[in-house]
Amino acid sequence: MRIHSLAAGVICVMLGSTGAAPAAEGSGDYGTALSRIYFAHQRLLALREACDQVFPAQAKSAEKAYLAWQSRHKALLNELEARLTLMIRGASKDEREYMRNVGKYEGSILEYRTGQREEILAQPRDGMEQGCADFRNYLTGSGSDFHKEYAEELRELRKRKLPK
């Protein structure tokens, strides 16, 4: 369930466009790793939203499956948010720019998720019901472990310790 490579670099591109990315932060490997995992979660949210829209009667079971997945990944999701916040802070020269950048990045992330949802909704309806059922099964199954699926990216991220 990996996201496609175009989306994987969105955070890197956004941070690079500010012209203020810290030189000490190293190459784009960190940003690429963060964006891969972060946008994979956004893709999950988009798929859930699309399934809920097309099959509202199944929304409760989708919510239950997502909440179970979210509970298993709570620490990871919090870590991703903290790392994203640190990257935005590092790319901002002061608090005013930081607040502006937060809005810009959140808007870009929402735009990505909306685009993903629209792409899913544009697919033929036949097969979508099975795809949504498969999605719910994915969320509750052992194959939905982001710690395993994105182990390489997490190793890259965790080379940098988060401040306490």
Side-chain angles (χ1 to χ4, degrees), residues 37-103:
I37 304 168
Y38 197 90
F39 281 113
H41 179 234
Q42 295 302 310
R43 174 93 174 137
L44 286 180
L45 293 172
L47 188 51
R48 179 181 166 210
E49 291 166 358
C51 289
D52 288 355
Q53 184 176 333
V54 175
F55 305 107
Q58 299 172 8
K60 286 255 190 239
S61 62
E63 179 182 16
K64 184 178 177 184
Y66 176 75
L67 290 174
W69 180 90
Q70 184 182 44
S71 176
R72 288 192 319 273
H73 290 83
K74 183 175 178 58
L76 175 59
L77 295 174
N78 289 338
E79 177 185 349
L80 294 175
E81 288 299 327
R83 290 182 181 281
L84 180 61
T85 298
L86 284 172
M87 283 186 71
I88 295 170
R89 234 183 233 295
S92 305
K93 65 180 181 227
D94 57 27
E95 192 65 22
R96 174 181 256 162
E97 185 178 35
Y98 168 73
M99 294 308 291
R100 200 169 42 247
N101 285 339
V102 165

